[in-house]
Coordinates of all heavy atoms in Angstrom, one line a residue:
Chain A
N1435 N -7.9 21.7 8.8 CA -6.9 21.3 7.8 C -7.5 20.2 6.9 O -6.8 19.6 6.1 CB -5.6 20.9 8.4 CG -5.7 19.7 9.3 OD1 -6.8 19.0 9.4 ND2 -4.7 19.4 10.1
N1436 N -8.8 19.9 7.1 CA -9.4 18.9 6.3 C -10.8 19.3 6.1 O -11.6 19.6 7.0 CB -9.3 17.6 7.1 CG -9.8 16.4 6.3 OD1 -10.2 16.4 5.2 ND2 -9.6 15.2 6.9
Q1438 N -14.1 18.0 3.4 CA -14.5 17.2 2.3 C -16.0 17.3 2.1 O -16.8 17.6 3.0 CB -14.2 15.7 2.6 CG -12.7 15.5 2.9 CD -12.3 14.1 3.1 OE1 -12.8 13.2 2.4 NE2 -11.3 13.8 3.9
F1440 N -19.3 15.2 0.5 CA -19.8 13.9 0.2 C -21.2 14.0 -0.4 O -22.0 14.8 0.0 CB -19.9 13.0 1.4 CG -18.5 12.7 2.1 CD1 -18.0 13.6 3.0 CD2 -17.8 11.6 1.7 CE1 -16.8 13.3 3.6 CE2 -16.6 11.3 2.3 CZ -16.1 12.2 3.3
Q1442 N -24.6 11.5 -0.6 CA -25.3 10.2 -0.2 C -26.5 10.0 -1.1 O -27.4 10.9 -1.1 CB -25.7 10.2 1.3 CG -26.2 8.9 1.8 CD -26.5 8.9 3.2 OE1 -26.9 9.8 3.8 NE2 -26.2 7.7 3.9
W1445 N -30.1 5.6 -2.1 CA -30.0 4.3 -1.6 C -29.0 4.2 -0.4 O -28.7 3.1 0.1 CB -29.5 3.3 -2.7 CG -30.5 3.3 -3.8 CD1 -31.6 2.4 -3.9 CD2 -30.6 4.2 -4.9 NE1 -32.3 2.7 -5.0 CE2 -31.8 3.8 -5.6 CE3 -29.9 5.2 -5.4 CZ2 -32.2 4.4 -6.8 CZ3 -30.3 5.9 -6.5 CH2 -31.4 5.5 -7.2
G1446 N -28.5 5.3 0.0 CA -27.7 5.4 1.2 C -26.2 5.3 1.0 O -25.4 5.5 1.9
Q1447 N -25.7 5.1 -0.3 CA -24.3 5.0 -0.5 C -23.6 6.4 -0.4 O -24.1 7.4 -1.0 CB -24.1 4.4 -1.9 CG -22.6 4.2 -2.3 CD -21.9 3.1 -1.4 OE1 -22.5 2.1 -1.1 NE2 -20.7 3.4 -1.0
L1448 N -22.5 6.4 0.2 CA -21.7 7.7 0.4 C -20.5 7.7 -0.5 O -19.7 6.8 -0.5 CB -21.2 7.8 1.9 CG -22.3 8.3 2.9 CD1 -21.9 7.7 4.3 CD2 -22.3 9.8 2.9
I1449 N -20.4 8.8 -1.2 CA -19.3 9.0 -2.2 C -18.6 10.3 -1.9 O -19.2 11.3 -1.8 CB -19.9 9.0 -3.6 CG1 -20.6 7.7 -3.9 CG2 -18.7 9.1 -4.6 CD1 -19.8 6.4 -3.9
N1450 N -17.3 10.2 -1.9 CA -16.5 11.4 -1.8 C -16.7 12.3 -3.1 O -16.6 11.7 -4.2 CB -15.0 11.0 -1.8 CG -14.4 11.0 -0.5 OD1 -14.4 9.9 0.1 ND2 -13.9 12.1 0.1
F1452 N -15.2 15.9 -3.1 CA -14.0 16.7 -3.1 C -13.3 16.7 -1.7 O -13.9 16.6 -0.7 CB -14.4 18.2 -3.3 CG -14.9 18.5 -4.6 CD1 -16.3 18.7 -4.8 CD2 -14.1 18.6 -5.7 CE1 -16.8 19.0 -6.1 CE2 -14.6 18.9 -7.0 CZ -16.0 19.1 -7.2
Y1453 N -12.0 16.7 -1.8 CA -11.1 17.1 -0.7 C -10.7 18.5 -0.9 O -9.9 18.8 -1.9 CB -9.9 16.1 -0.6 CG -8.9 16.6 0.5 CD1 -9.1 16.3 1.8 CD2 -7.8 17.3 0.1 CE1 -8.1 16.7 2.7 CE2 -6.8 17.7 1.0 CZ -7.0 17.4 2.3 OH -6.1 17.8 3.2
K1459 N -11.9 23.6 -6.7 CA -11.7 22.5 -7.5 C -12.9 22.3 -8.3 O -14.0 22.7 -7.9 CB -11.5 21.2 -6.7 CG -10.1 21.1 -6.0 CD -9.9 19.8 -5.3 CE -8.6 19.6 -4.7 NZ -8.4 18.3 -4.0
V1489 N -28.4 13.5 -0.5 CA -28.0 14.4 0.6 C -26.5 14.7 0.4 O -25.7 13.8 0.2 CB -28.2 13.8 2.0 CG1 -27.8 14.8 3.1 CG2 -29.7 13.4 2.2
F1491 N -23.2 16.2 2.2 CA -22.6 16.5 3.5 C -21.3 17.2 3.3 O -20.5 16.8 2.5 CB -22.3 15.2 4.2 CG -23.6 14.5 4.7 CD1 -24.1 13.4 4.0 CD2 -24.3 14.9 5.8 CE1 -25.2 12.7 4.5 CE2 -25.4 14.3 6.3 CZ -25.9 13.2 5.6
D1497 N -7.5 17.2 13.1 CA -6.4 16.4 13.7 C -5.6 15.8 12.5 O -6.2 15.3 11.6 CB -6.9 15.4 14.7 CG -7.3 14.1 14.1 OD1 -6.4 13.3 13.7 OD2 -8.5 13.8 14.0
T1498 N -4.3 15.8 12.7 CA -3.4 15.3 11.6 C -3.2 13.8 11.7 O -2.7 13.2 10.8 CB -2.1 16.0 11.7 OG1 -1.5 15.9 13.0 CG2 -2.2 17.5 11.5
G1499 N -3.6 13.2 12.8 CA -3.3 11.8 13.0 C -4.5 11.0 12.5 O -4.4 10.3 11.4
R1500 N -5.6 11.0 13.2 CA -6.7 10.2 12.8 C -7.4 10.6 11.6 O -8.1 9.9 10.9 CB -7.7 10.1 14.0 CG -7.1 9.6 15.3 CD -8.2 9.4 16.3 NE -9.0 10.6 16.5 CZ -10.1 10.6 17.3 NH1 -10.5 9.5 17.9 NH2 -10.8 11.7 17.4
R1501 N -7.3 11.9 11.3 CA -8.0 12.5 10.2 C -9.5 12.3 10.3 O -10.3 12.1 9.4 CB -7.6 11.9 8.8 CG -6.1 12.1 8.6 CD -5.6 13.5 8.5 NE -6.0 14.1 7.2 CZ -5.9 15.4 6.9 NH1 -5.4 16.2 7.9 NH2 -6.2 15.9 5.7
A1502 N -10.0 12.3 11.6 CA -11.4 12.1 11.9 C -12.2 13.3 11.4 O -11.7 14.5 11.4 CB -11.7 11.9 13.3
L1503 N -13.4 13.1 10.9 CA -14.2 14.2 10.4 C -15.5 14.5 11.2 O -16.1 13.5 11.8 CB -14.7 13.8 9.0 CG -13.6 13.8 7.9 CD1 -14.1 13.1 6.6 CD2 -13.0 15.1 7.6
T1504 N -15.8 15.7 11.3 CA -17.1 16.1 11.9 C -18.0 16.5 10.8 O -17.7 17.4 10.0 CB -16.9 17.3 12.9 OG1 -16.1 16.9 14.0 CG2 -18.2 17.8 13.4
F1505 N -19.2 15.9 10.7 CA -20.1 16.1 9.6 C -21.1 17.1 10.0 O -21.6 17.2 11.1 CB -20.8 14.8 9.3 CG -20.0 13.8 8.5 CD1 -18.9 13.1 9.1 CD2 -20.3 13.6 7.2 CE1 -18.2 12.2 8.4 CE2 -19.5 12.7 6.4 CZ -18.5 12.0 7.0
G1506 N -21.6 17.9 9.0 CA -22.7 18.7 9.1 C -24.0 17.8 8.9 O -23.9 16.6 8.7
S1507 N -25.1 18.4 9.1 CA -26.4 17.6 9.0 C -26.9 17.5 7.6 O -27.9 16.8 7.4 CB -27.5 18.2 9.9 OG -27.6 19.6 9.6
G1508 N -26.2 18.1 6.7 CA -26.5 17.8 5.3 C -27.5 18.8 4.6 O -28.3 19.4 5.3
R1510 N -30.4 18.2 1.8 CA -31.2 17.2 1.0 C -31.6 17.9 -0.3 O -32.4 18.8 -0.3 CB -32.4 16.7 1.8 CG -33.2 15.6 1.1 CD -34.2 15.0 2.0 NE -33.7 14.4 3.1 CZ -33.2 13.2 3.2 NH1 -33.2 12.4 2.1 NH2 -32.7 12.7 4.3
Chain B
S331 N -5.9 3.0 7.7 CA -6.9 3.6 8.6 C -8.4 3.1 8.3 O -8.8 3.1 7.1 CB -6.9 5.1 8.4 OG -5.6 5.6 8.9
Y333 N -12.6 3.2 10.0 CA -13.5 4.0 10.8 C -14.8 3.3 10.9 O -15.3 2.6 10.0 CB -13.7 5.4 10.3 CG -12.5 6.2 10.0 CD1 -11.8 6.0 8.8 CD2 -12.1 7.2 10.8 CE1 -10.6 6.7 8.5 CE2 -11.0 8.0 10.6 CZ -10.2 7.7 9.4 OH -9.1 8.5 9.1
Y335 N -18.7 4.8 11.8 CA -19.5 5.9 12.0 C -21.0 5.4 12.2 O -21.3 4.4 11.7 CB -19.5 6.8 10.8 CG -18.3 7.7 10.6 CD1 -17.2 7.3 9.9 CD2 -18.2 9.0 11.2 CE1 -16.1 8.1 9.7 CE2 -17.1 9.8 11.1 CZ -16.1 9.4 10.3 OH -15.0 10.2 10.2
Q337 N -25.1 7.0 11.7 CA -25.9 8.0 11.1 C -27.3 7.9 11.6 O -28.0 6.9 11.4 CB -25.9 8.0 9.6 CG -26.7 9.1 9.0 CD -26.7 9.1 7.5 OE1 -26.5 8.1 6.8 NE2 -26.8 10.3 6.9
G340 N -31.8 12.5 9.9 CA -31.6 13.9 9.8 C -30.3 14.5 10.3 O -30.1 15.7 10.4
M341 N -29.3 13.6 10.5 CA -28.1 14.1 11.0 C -26.9 13.6 10.1 O -27.1 12.7 9.3 CB -27.9 13.5 12.4 CG -28.9 14.1 13.4 SD -28.6 13.4 15.1 CE -27.0 14.0 15.5
G342 N -25.8 14.2 10.4 CA -24.6 13.7 9.7 C -24.0 12.5 10.5 O -24.6 12.0 11.4
L343 N -22.9 12.0 10.0 CA -22.3 10.9 10.6 C -21.5 11.3 11.8 O -20.9 12.4 11.9 CB -21.3 10.2 9.6 CG -22.0 9.3 8.5 CD1 -22.8 10.1 7.5 CD2 -20.9 8.5 7.8
R344 N -21.5 10.4 12.8 CA -20.6 10.6 14.0 C -19.7 9.5 14.2 O -20.1 8.3 14.1 CB -21.5 10.8 15.2 CG -22.4 12.1 15.2 CD -23.2 12.2 16.5 NE -24.2 11.2 16.6 CZ -24.9 11.0 17.7 NH1 -24.7 11.7 18.8 NH2 -25.9 10.1 17.7
L345 N -18.5 9.8 14.6 CA -17.4 8.8 14.7 C -17.6 8.0 16.0 O -17.6 8.5 17.1 CB -16.0 9.4 14.6 CG -14.8 8.5 14.7 CD1 -14.8 7.6 13.5 CD2 -13.6 9.3 14.9
Y348 N -12.1 4.5 15.7 CA -11.1 4.6 14.6 C -10.0 3.6 14.9 O -9.6 3.3 16.0 CB -10.5 6.0 14.6 CG -9.2 6.2 13.9 CD1 -9.2 6.2 12.5 CD2 -8.0 6.4 14.5 CE1 -8.0 6.3 11.8 CE2 -6.8 6.6 13.9 CZ -6.8 6.5 12.5 OH -5.6 6.7 11.8
D356 N -9.0 3.5 18.7 CA -9.1 4.7 19.4 C -10.5 5.2 19.4 O -11.2 5.1 18.4 CB -8.2 5.8 18.7 CG -8.1 7.1 19.5 OD1 -8.3 7.1 20.7 OD2 -7.7 8.1 18.9
K357 N -11.0 5.7 20.6 CA -12.4 6.1 20.7 C -12.6 7.3 19.9 O -11.8 8.2 19.8 CB -12.7 6.3 22.2 CG -12.7 5.1 23.0 CD -13.0 5.4 24.5 CE -13.0 4.2 25.3 NZ -13.4 4.4 26.7
G358 N -13.9 7.4 19.4 CA -14.3 8.6 18.6 C -15.2 9.4 19.5 O -15.1 9.5 20.7
E359 N -16.2 10.0 18.8 CA -17.1 11.0 19.5 C -18.2 10.2 20.4 O -18.6 10.7 21.4 CB -17.8 11.8 18.4 CG -18.8 12.8 18.9 CD -19.5 13.6 17.8 OE1 -19.1 13.3 16.6 OE2 -20.4 14.3 18.1
F390 N -21.9 2.9 9.4 CA -21.1 2.8 8.2 C -19.6 2.6 8.6 O -19.1 3.2 9.5 CB -21.1 4.2 7.5 CG -22.4 4.4 6.7 CD1 -23.4 5.2 7.3 CD2 -22.6 3.9 5.4 CE1 -24.6 5.4 6.6 CE2 -23.7 4.2 4.7 CZ -24.7 4.9 5.3
R394 N -9.6 4.7 4.7 CA -9.0 5.9 4.2 C -7.8 5.6 3.4 O -6.9 4.9 3.8 CB -8.7 6.9 5.3 CG -8.0 8.2 4.8 CD -7.9 9.3 5.8 NE -7.3 8.9 7.0 CZ -6.0 8.9 7.3 NH1 -5.1 9.2 6.3 NH2 -5.5 8.5 8.4
G396 N -4.5 7.5 1.9 CA -3.7 8.6 1.8 C -4.0 9.7 2.9 O -4.9 9.5 3.7
Q397 N -3.3 10.8 2.7 CA -3.5 11.9 3.6 C -3.2 13.2 2.8 O -2.1 13.3 2.2 CB -2.7 11.8 4.9 CG -2.9 13.0 5.8 CD -2.3 12.6 7.2 OE1 -2.2 11.5 7.6 NE2 -1.9 13.7 7.9
G398 N -4.1 14.2 2.9 CA -3.8 15.4 2.2 C -4.5 15.4 0.8 O -5.6 14.9 0.7
A399 N -3.7 15.9 -0.2 CA -4.3 16.1 -1.5 C -4.9 14.9 -2.1 O -5.9 15.0 -2.9 CB -3.3 16.7 -2.4
N400 N -4.4 13.7 -1.9 CA -4.9 12.5 -2.5 C -5.8 11.7 -1.5 O -6.1 10.5 -1.7 CB -3.8 11.6 -3.0 CG -3.0 11.0 -1.9 OD1 -3.0 11.5 -0.8 ND2 -2.3 9.9 -2.2
E401 N -6.2 12.4 -0.4 CA -6.9 11.7 0.6 C -8.3 11.4 0.2 O -9.0 12.2 -0.5 CB -7.0 12.6 1.9 CG -7.8 12.1 3.0 CD -7.6 12.9 4.3 OE1 -6.6 13.6 4.4 OE2 -8.5 12.8 5.2
K402 N -8.8 10.2 0.5 CA -10.2 9.8 0.1 C -10.7 8.8 1.1 O -10.0 7.8 1.4 CB -10.2 9.3 -1.3 CG -11.6 9.0 -1.9 CD -11.6 8.7 -3.3 CE -13.0 8.5 -3.9 NZ -13.0 8.2 -5.3
L403 N -11.9 8.9 1.5 CA -12.6 8.0 2.3 C -13.5 7.1 1.4 O -14.2 7.6 0.6 CB -13.5 8.7 3.3 CG -13.0 9.0 4.7 CD1 -14.1 9.7 5.5 CD2 -12.4 7.8 5.4
F404 N -13.4 5.8 1.7 CA -14.3 4.8 1.0 C -15.2 4.2 2.0 O -14.8 3.7 3.0 CB -13.4 3.7 0.3 CG -12.5 4.2 -0.7 CD1 -11.3 4.8 -0.4 CD2 -12.9 4.1 -2.1 CE1 -10.5 5.3 -1.4 CE2 -12.1 4.6 -3.1 CZ -10.9 5.1 -2.8
F405 N -16.5 4.3 1.7 CA -17.5 3.8 2.7 C -18.1 2.5 2.2 O -18.3 2.2 1.0 CB -18.7 4.8 2.8 CG -18.3 6.0 3.6 CD1 -17.8 7.2 3.1 CD2 -18.6 6.0 5.0 CE1 -17.5 8.3 3.8 CE2 -18.2 7.1 5.8 CZ -17.7 8.2 5.2
G406 N -18.5 1.7 3.2 CA -19.3 0.5 2.9 C -20.8 1.0 2.7 O -21.1 2.2 2.8
S407 N -21.6 0.0 2.4 CA -23.0 0.4 2.0 C -23.9 0.5 3.2 O -25.1 0.9 3.1 CB -23.6 -0.7 1.1 OG -23.5 -2.0 1.7

Side-chain angles (χ1 to χ4, degrees):
Chain A
N1435 61 9
N1436 189 355
Q1438 300 185 40
F1440 296 87
Q1442 187 171 38
W1445 297 271
Q1447 184 65 41
L1448 280 154
I1449 302 294
N1450 266 91
F1452 295 103
Y1453 170 82
K1459 288 186 178 179
V1489 183
F1491 290 104
D1497 91 70
T1498 55
R1500 302 186 308 173
R1501 306 294 286 172
L1503 294 169
T1504 298
F1505 282 73
S1507 55
R1510 183 174 297 276
Chain B
S331 295
Y333 305 80
Y335 284 92
Q337 183 180 23
M341 296 178 65
L343 282 69
R344 291 184 292 169
L345 181 65
Y348 163 72
D356 188 19
K357 293 179 180 180
E359 182 184 352
F390 288 96
R394 174 169 57 83
Q397 181 164 331
N400 70 338
E401 179 169 337
K402 187 172 182 177
L403 269 181
F404 294 83
F405 284 92
S407 56

